[in-house]
Amino acid sequence: MSDKKFTVVLGASPNPSRYSYLAVSRLAGKGHPVLAIGKKDGQIGDTPITKEHPTPADVDTVTLYMNPVLQQEYYDYILQLHPKRIIFNPGTENDELAALATSKGIEPIEACTLVLLSTGQY
């Protein structure tokens, strides 16, 4: 079994100073397949950012880089992906979405994707 985790990054930004940009770069750099979804189309290294909401199979992780108010329009999308876990990065914590995820058998985690990657816990 591969240790590479297909990850959907919600709130991806082409701005190199944003944490979502760093997360996409580091995930891809460690060989994790990444689907980057943002407000506008763009590029992070070799990874395109899309405004679309494709539904790939076998999503391991959805990692969030948008505030809880903006997350609301993505609830159905996130849940239909049925990832194994949702990572709520600092500032994205959302009890409502966490409860919905738990009710669907999805593990909500309050953590920092960048820290998890750098400490080998991803």
Side-chain angles (χ1 to χ4, degrees), residues 97-108:
L97 180 54
L100 287 168
T102 300
S103 75
K104 301 285 187 189
I106 302 166
E107 180 185 14

Side-chain angles (χ1 to χ4, degrees), residues 10 62-83 85-89 92-110:
L10 272 179
V62 171
T63 186
L64 299 172
Y65 289 94
M66 59 177 57
N67 73 53
V69 173
L70 294 176
Q71 291 170 25
Q72 291 175 359
E73 69 180 270
Y74 291 93
Y75 285 5
D76 290 340
Y77 175 66
I78 293 167
L79 297 173
Q80 80 178 2
L81 292 174
H82 203 78
R85 63 184 177 170
I86 299 171
I87 298 175
F88 293 88
N89 288 280
T92 69
E93 298 87 350
N94 182 339
D95 291 339
E96 182 180 38
L97 180 54
L100 287 168
T102 300
S103 75
K104 301 285 187 189
I106 302 166
E107 180 185 14
I109 301 171
E110 289 185 8

